[in-house]
Amino acid sequence: MKRLTSILFLVFLALMATAQNSLSGRLMDAATRQPLDFANVSVSRTGDTAPLTGTVTDEQGKWEIGGLENGSYTLTFSFMGYIEQQKTATLSGKPLSLGKIYLEEDARQLEEVEVVGQNATMRFELDRKVFAVDQNIAAAGGSITDALENIPTVDVDQEGNIALRNNEAVEIWINGKPAGLTAENRAQVLQQLPAESIQEIEIITNPSAKFSPEGTAGIINLVMKKDRKTGYYGSVNAGIQYVLAAPWTTPPGGNAGLNINLSKGIIDAYFNAGYHYHSSHGSTLTDRHNLSLTDRTDTLSRLQNDASNDRRGGGAFLRAGIDLRITDRSTLGLSGFGMVGTTGRSDALNRYLLTDGAAPYDTLRQYTRREQGTSSHPGGNAMLTWQFKPVKGHQLDMSASYNHFTWNQYNTYTQAEQDTTRQKQDNENRDQMVQLKADYEWKPTTQSRLEAGWQTDLSWRKTNADAAELMPDATQQAMQAYYNDFLNREQIHALYVTYGNRFWDRFSVQVGLRGEYMQRTLTTSYYDAPDHLTSVRRDTSYFQLYPSAYLSYTFPKGHELQLNYTRRVDRPRGHQINPRQDFSDSTNIQLGNPDLLPAYSSSLELNYLKTWERHTLSAGLFWRYADGIIQNVKYMQADIMKNTFINIANRSEYGVEVVGKNRLFGNLLQLTTSANLYYNTISAADYHSSYNGQPIDIVLPKQNILTWSVRLNAQFMFTKTFSGQLSARYHSPRVVAQGETTHHYSIDLGLRKTFFDKKLALAFNVRDLLNSRSRANTTWGDGFYQYQARRWNSRTIGLTVTYSFGNMKAKHNQHPQDGGAAGTSYEDSGEE
């Protein structure tokens, strides 16, 4: 027993000595005497070239490495464009500060970096993966939607709907905030925003309690460009895109943009303006078998629909902002963006054939239906921010923002059978939101951080829909069954607190708790009988807690293990709860369900990260359980198919994600590869309800499927001024509530050439090289079995020209991009 006690005591003393040993200092620019942030510091045993551990400097150039044993160490300090420097230090059971270390610029290295350097397309942070959009040559001249299609684990369908890890319950933010993007308008907004306006895309699958719990799949944060360089800097660009596929009549699209940044003294300002015009041709094939309710093998009739559509539209995007450093501790910011002149036109022709379900398959009905429409979606966001650092280690961030977006559609339908009939349907949407937010951060030590905050969201979402029969005498006859006036008023009040600490410079812990109170009022006005308008009001309120927890351990030689847990919510909004009936397809009516309830999910992730000098490997396991998930389902009423949304029982998701980043053949090739494997289970469910007196009965069987996807992004640096990119993706079939989707794949190519010391750049790309960008699905239920295939945005070639002017050299003490969602690392200073 005494021997065991002695051993434990010696082990304890060794651990205490290790815990007390630490090295620290501050890295500075020898010429400007300014701190160097994000510089590399590595530690190795004296006489041994293999590094033991390392870190990067913070915004003040400070660094600290702990958990070292007694002995002699060699420290290496390096930063791109500076001469590498080494120092030797000896530890003997107490902290050791090396003070200020000055690095000198290496003019030769700067020239070499300028010649052959290539920025990383992806980097890993504790709670997210960050992808550089400015390195995506294949998306040059396109929209943010085009850029998202090249991001691992992100899928975009033909309507612009976005899914993360096969889940459409994902939030899209701009600069760390929702910015007015909703499920109703984000497809149109993102299609209009140019990809050149985005610096990075952050994928946050398990956000902490500091962030809104909206979106069970997580958050996609779009970080807008905001270069901070001494003096002024800017660029202009213009491009053209042409559809290179049948029917060969689609007009070209194009883009133009201007970007100006100014940083002088206490002012940082920027202005962006852009115009994007897009055109596309698509097609849809639907084959539906109407079945007997008593015998699913008995086909009563068969409906085939062959449709083609052309869409085109454009508009201007404006963005501006200014940061005023009032004092060394206080910064005031004003920013905003807007979309003006945004219009769209669509023209679709549907050809229908209804036949008998048995031989000789006699024709029962044959007709065409043409849809012609116009749309507009102007809107914008304005934000006022204030950051205050009263004393060292304390920071207060406050913000107030206002969003206002509209989305209006006006469609006319001409149906030709024996007689020709014409109908119209108008749909006007207005979304407004006010957000007030305050975040406080206290760092009692360099290794710990306490955060607390408050947030209030007030929103109003109003929709007015109307329809009419257009008579031959130019009069209109109201179709009262399709009238709908819908108002959704919400207020959400939240408080959160998080605490994190790092021990022995290896083990990190963060726990958090967020409480939210939500109150919602839905008001719907509709005709329940001819000329009788009625209103129904639904009030909902509830309080929920959303915990989060993060654990991370860094092993020697670049190994890191992370474990995190969060609870999140998917709140139904927009078209999901709006009972407006859309009859753009007269055989397939879509409507929302105002009785939908929120769906709650719990998510657990285990991630492993290993870094080498030229390679990075990230591997993760995740499990997500969601109760009462919201799914789109179909059911038959007479010969008409209806589409609506319901809460089905639950869904369990298990997944494996592997991401590798490699620099090969010197600087010739930078390869990013991702592979994802998911297993989804959707439980069986029965749903019984009614709408306008008509019963709705839906029975859903249990669904299981194993699905996987692979993405590859290869960037080539052929010469100092010539680069290329290849992006390829494949996604296997996946399960939906009443069926499954088929596999899909595509390949994009891009080339970039720079001239005049990189001031002029030409980018050429081919999107969907194989003309394979399409989606198909098979669904079934009581009374129907349906196959549907859609193709959109066929093979496109594009050319973009960019000219940069002004100062091309960033500040040495450059800060992170504003608006990046704050991470959970304990050395950074949080959201800026």
Side-chain angles (χ1 to χ4, degrees):
M1 184 65 181
K2 290 182 179 180
R3 184 177 182 183
L4 177 60
T5 303
S6 300
I7 293 174
L8 292 176
F9 180 69
L10 291 174
V11 171
F12 174 75
L13 290 179
L15 288 175
M16 289 297 294
T18 300
Q20 293 175 2
N21 274 337
S22 67
L23 291 167
S24 62
R26 192 177 187 191
L27 209 56
M28 312 290 288
D29 184 301
T32 65
R33 301 299 185 184
Q34 295 294 316
L36 293 174
D37 55 356
F38 302 105
N40 298 311
V41 182
S42 63
V43 177
S44 60
R45 288 278 189 183
T46 300
D48 187 355
T49 58
L52 289 173
T53 184
T55 186
V56 295
T57 58
D58 64 13
E59 292 181 2
Q60 286 76 44
K62 296 179 180 179
W63 59 272
E64 183 175 3
I65 298 175
L68 299 173
E69 300 176 355
N70 291 336
S72 180
Y73 295 92
T74 299
L75 294 94
T76 302
F77 306 94
S78 61
F79 192 53
M80 183 177 292
Y82 289 79
I83 299 174
E84 184 178 283
Q85 188 176 149
Q86 289 188 338
K87 284 187 176 295
T88 301
T90 301
L91 290 175
S92 57
K94 60 181 180 180
L96 177 61
S97 175
L98 300 183
K100 293 181 179 179
I101 297 106
Y102 294 93
L103 295 187
E104 295 182 354
E105 284 191 355
D106 186 342
R108 180 179 177 182
Q109 186 185 13
L110 279 172
E111 183 180 354
E112 291 174 353
V113 169
E114 182 70 18
V115 168
V116 300
Q118 182 173 338
N119 294 333
T121 58
M122 178 186 69
R123 72 176 187 271
F124 299 91
E125 295 184 5
L126 182 61
D127 62 343
R128 72 199 65 202
K129 298 179 180 70
V130 184
F131 300 87
V133 176
D134 58 350
Q135 298 298 306
N136 194 336
I137 307 173
S143 66
I144 292 179
T145 303
D146 299 324
L148 284 170
E149 290 183 350
N150 288 312
I151 304 299
T153 71
V154 176
D155 285 301
V156 184
D157 69 9
Q158 67 276 5
E159 300 297 332
N161 299 313
I162 299 169
L164 178 62
R165 288 179 172 173
N166 289 327
N167 190 342
E168 292 187 4
V170 58
E171 287 291 292
I172 310 295
W173 287 3
I174 295 179
N175 284 347
K177 293 178 175 61
L181 296 185
T182 67
E184 293 295 288
N185 64 27
R186 68 190 186 194
Q188 291 76 26
V189 173
L190 298 182
Q191 180 62 40
Q192 192 61 39
L193 297 183
E196 284 79 7
S197 65
I198 296 295
Q199 178 72 24
E200 296 174 336
I201 296 177
E202 298 178 339
I203 304 298
I204 314 172
T205 53
N206 252 9
S208 75
K210 179 177 181 178
F211 303 104
S212 167
E214 295 271 2
T216 56
I219 298 170
I220 298 176
N221 183 42
L222 310 174
V223 182
M224 309 291 281
K225 284 183 177 178
K226 186 180 178 183
D227 296 311
R228 286 180 166 175
K229 304 180 180 182
T230 304
Y232 75 98
Y233 166 82
S235 63
V236 293
N237 65 80
I240 188 171
Q241 298 85 41
Y242 186 77
V243 176
L244 201 63
W248 311 101
T249 56
T250 304
N255 64 282
L258 169 67
N259 171 37
I260 299 177
N261 299 269
L262 173 67
S263 182
K264 187 174 183 180
I266 63 172
I267 295 177
D268 284 327
Y270 61 89
F271 174 77
N272 308 123
Y275 180 83
H276 184 71
Y277 181 84
H278 59 89
S279 62
S280 64
H281 175 81
S283 61
T284 302
L285 174 65
T286 304
D287 188 359
R288 186 171 79 218
H289 294 253
N290 299 320
L291 309 176
S292 168
L293 294 176
T294 58
D295 183 3
R296 290 182 54 85
T297 63
D298 183 12
T299 300
L300 303 179
S301 60
R302 181 183 181 186
L303 177 66
Q304 300 175 74
N305 174 22
D306 181 14
S308 61
N309 62 78
D310 292 286
R311 297 180 181 178
R312 60 196 66 177
F317 167 72
L318 301 174
R319 178 173 170 263
I322 183 171
D323 287 340
L324 180 64
R325 290 183 289 278
I326 304 172
T327 68
D328 291 340
R329 300 183 179 275
S330 180
T331 302
L332 186 67
L334 178 64
S335 62
F337 73 86
M339 300 169 57
V340 295
T342 51
T343 59
R345 293 184 178 274
S346 61
D347 192 345
L349 180 62
N350 292 267
R351 293 168 287 272
Y352 294 93
L353 175 63
L354 180 66
T355 62
D356 190 66
Y361 307 108
D362 295 329
T363 298
L364 303 178
R365 188 181 179 191
Q366 187 171 7
Y367 63 97
T368 62
R369 183 177 176 88
R370 184 177 185 182
E371 174 187 350
Q372 295 172 293
T374 61
S375 63
S376 63
H377 42 89
N381 162 272
M383 180 181 300
L384 179 67
T385 62
W386 180 55
Q387 184 182 89
F388 180 55
K389 300 178 180 180
V391 294
K392 182 179 179 180
H394 295 261
Q395 179 172 311
L396 176 65
D397 291 276
M398 302 184 69
S399 66
S401 63
Y402 173 71
N403 310 307
H404 188 173
F405 285 90
T406 60
W407 176 42
N408 303 320
Q409 283 186 307
Y410 308 98
N411 294 325
T412 301
Y413 306 97
T414 303
Q415 188 161 307
E417 200 169 356
Q418 294 178 347
D419 298 317
T420 299
T421 60
R422 298 180 69 235
Q423 302 165 326
K424 74 163 190 174
Q425 186 170 38
D426 301 336
N427 183 31
E428 298 178 343
N429 301 267
R430 177 182 297 177
D431 292 346
Q432 299 179 79
M433 179 178 175
V434 173
Q435 183 183 89
L436 305 174
K437 188 177 181 182
D439 298 298
Y440 168 74
E441 176 187 295
W442 175 39
K443 298 178 70 174
T445 69
T446 58
Q447 303 291 333
S448 62
R449 179 167 64 183
L450 175 69
E451 295 176 302
W454 152 78
Q455 180 177 324
T456 289
D457 294 343
L458 307 174
S459 61
W460 303 264
R461 296 179 174 91
K462 182 175 176 60
T463 301
N464 182 269
D466 202 356
E469 190 87 26
L470 303 179
M471 309 306 292
D473 59 1
T475 60
Q476 299 184 15
Q477 183 175 336
M479 301 172 65
Q480 294 182 348
Y482 294 97
Y483 174 84
N484 174 265
D485 190 84
F486 181 75
L487 176 62
N488 177 10
R489 292 176 293 175
E490 288 183 6
Q491 52 178 299
I492 302 175
H493 307 279
L495 293 172
Y496 77 87
V497 61
T498 69
Y499 176 75
N501 209 335
R502 175 169 290 181
F503 304 94
W504 306 294
D505 203 45
R506 293 189 182 278
F507 181 54
S508 299
V509 179
Q510 179 181 278
V511 293
L513 183 65
R514 186 183 185 95
E516 286 196 352
Y517 171 78
M518 177 181 178
Q519 185 180 63
R520 184 178 73 181
T521 299
L522 302 181
T523 305
T524 308
S525 298
Y526 63 96
Y527 286 93
D528 60 349
D531 298 324
H532 186 265
L533 188 66
T534 187
S535 294
V536 177
R537 173 171 170 161
R538 295 172 173 86
D539 292 297
T540 305
S541 62
Y542 54 87
F543 176 81
Q544 288 286 330
L545 294 175
Y546 303 95
S548 67
Y550 295 82
L551 302 175
S552 175
Y553 189 84
T554 303
F555 297 89
K557 299 184 178 180
H559 298 265
E560 184 174 352
L561 197 62
Q562 304 168 357
L563 179 67
N564 55 67
Y565 165 83
T566 61
R567 182 174 187 259
R568 300 185 62 78
V569 62
D570 180 20
R571 296 188 177 107
R573 290 196 178 97
H575 67 287
Q576 293 179 334
I577 57 176
N578 186 353
R580 179 188 77 94
Q581 297 190 72
D582 181 357
F583 62 85
S584 54
D585 182 349
S586 59
T587 66
N588 190 355
I589 306 297
Q590 302 181 41
L591 67 156
N593 178 7
D595 294 322
L596 282 178
L597 299 173
Y600 297 95
S601 72
S602 293
S603 179
L604 187 68
E605 292 189 16
L606 177 65
N607 297 305
Y608 168 75
L609 182 63
K610 167 63 178 173
T611 57
W612 295 269
E613 182 179 356
R614 303 180 64 84
H615 309 280
T616 302
L617 173 66
S618 171
L621 302 173
F622 77 88
W623 166 81
R624 180 181 293 114
Y625 177 84
D627 188 31
I629 64 170
I630 301 170
Q631 287 277 287
N632 178 261
V633 295
K634 302 175 175 63
Y635 61 96
M636 299 296 296
Q637 283 188 347
D639 291 331
I640 305 298
M641 174 176 283
K642 297 291 184 73
N643 283 258
T644 191
F645 296 87
I646 67 171
N647 293 102
I648 63 177
N650 57 67
R651 175 168 60 191
S652 296
E653 299 174 272
Y654 309 87
V656 179
E657 293 183 354
V658 179
V659 181
K661 186 175 68 173
N662 304 276
R663 286 187 179 271
L664 306 173
F665 314 113
N667 285 323
L668 174 63
L669 174 61
Q670 180 175 278
L671 185 66
T672 302
T673 309
S674 67
N676 307 276
L677 182 69
Y678 311 106
Y679 180 75
N680 293 341
T681 298
I682 300 179
S683 65
D686 292 338
Y687 178 79
H688 306 283
S689 183
S690 64
Y691 180 76
N692 281 354
Q694 298 182 348
I696 302 175
D697 299 300
I698 302 174
V699 178
L700 300 176
K702 183 178 180 179
Q703 290 277 80
N704 298 296
I705 194 169
L706 182 68
T707 182
W708 56 278
S709 64
V710 177
R711 296 196 187 217
L712 181 145
N713 185 293
Q715 287 204 313
F716 301 89
M717 182 64 74
F718 301 115
T719 70
K720 61 184 181 181
T721 61
F722 185 38
S723 58
Q725 177 182 331
L726 182 147
S727 298
R729 63 197 67 85
Y730 173 85
H731 203 300
S732 71
R734 66 183 179 92
V735 68
V736 293
Q738 291 175 291
E740 65 179 32
T741 66
T742 61
H743 71 109
H744 54 90
Y745 59 94
S746 62
I747 296 177
D748 301 332
L749 295 176
L751 296 172
R752 176 181 287 154
K753 174 70 175 176
T754 61
F755 306 88
F756 311 120
D757 197 23
K758 294 192 174 181
K759 289 186 177 181
L760 179 67
L762 298 181
F764 172 79
N765 56 41
V766 182
R767 293 184 54 77
D768 195 13
L769 178 68
L770 304 180
N771 203 31
S772 58
R773 187 169 274 119
S774 62
R775 299 286 174 89
N777 64 79
T778 302
T779 54
W780 53 84
D782 291 338
F784 74 93
Y785 181 90
Q786 177 175 287
Y787 170 81
Q788 186 175 72
R790 293 184 176 184
R791 175 181 294 277
W792 77 103
N793 286 346
S794 303
R795 181 171 47 233
T796 305
I797 60 173
L799 178 66
T800 301
V801 182
T802 303
Y803 178 76
S804 300
F805 55 86
N807 180 33
M808 304 291 288
K809 185 176 179 181
K811 292 181 180 180
H812 294 316
N813 58 337
Q814 188 175 11
H815 298 284
Q817 295 288 331
D818 280 6
T824 55
S825 170
Y826 306 115
E827 285 74 36
D828 64 22
S829 61
E831 187 173 342
E832 181 147 309

